[in-house]
Each structure stands twice: as structure tokens, then as C-alpha cells.
Amino acid sequence: MHAWQAPDRDVDQLVGGRHHDPFGLLGPHETEDGLVIRAFVPGAETLDAYDIDGTHVLSLARRHAAGFFEGWVAGRPAWARYTLKA
């Protein structure tokens, strides 16, 4: 597991509806390694992030079968806008 990835315990708590701070886990976050995007999209098999102009940024990895996705983006600030497509 990479340092930028959410701990398994947090992922399990989130998908189980028991996480104490879901917004602290989900969305864009700056880490020492760069930007991390996390999302919970129940039922989704895949999830991709696109720049506001439609350019593909990355395919997020599905970390949990319930629909928790996570991906690392080098060289992109957390305030950069993006959209997600399941």
C-alpha cells in the first residue's frame, strides 16, 4: 500500500456508513506525494477523472467492491477542478 492511500480501516468504515468524517476522506487531498482523489460511487465498476476541458486525468482504482475509488495525480493542485464519470 502507498502512503497516499486511505487506510483500509477508514475505507471499511466509510462504505459501512460508520466513518466519523467522510468529507475528510473523500474528494481531492494534497499529500506529500501529490494530489489524491477519492470517491464513493456505489454500484460503479470504473471511475475516471476528467479535467474541466474534457481531458482525461486518470482512472481511479476501485479499492472496495462497494464502490470506493482512489487515485494519485502527480503535479496537480487540489484546487484544480475535475469531473468524475462512472
Side-chain angles (χ1 to χ4, degrees):
M1 190 154 109
H2 300 284
W4 55 263
Q5 289 181 297
D8 290 338
R9 178 177 173 223
D10 283 342
V11 174
D12 290 339
Q13 288 176 345
L14 182 90
V15 301
R18 299 179 316 277
H19 197 276
H20 69 283
D21 184 14
F23 295 109
L25 182 64
L26 297 172
H29 296 280
E30 290 284 348
T31 71
E32 290 182 11
D33 297 322
L35 176 66
V36 174
I37 299 173
R38 298 186 185 110
F40 181 46
V41 185
E45 294 291 324
T46 62
L47 192 65
D48 292 284
Y50 291 87
D51 203 340
I52 207 70
D53 68 2
T55 303
H56 186 259
V57 175
L58 83 147
S59 295
L60 285 79
R62 192 167 93 164
R63 289 261 325 268
H64 194 286
F68 181 84
F69 292 83
E70 181 174 53
W72 172 73
V73 187
R76 188 174 177 89
W79 53 262
R81 294 175 22 184
Y82 64 90
T83 60
L84 297 173
K85 182 178 178 183

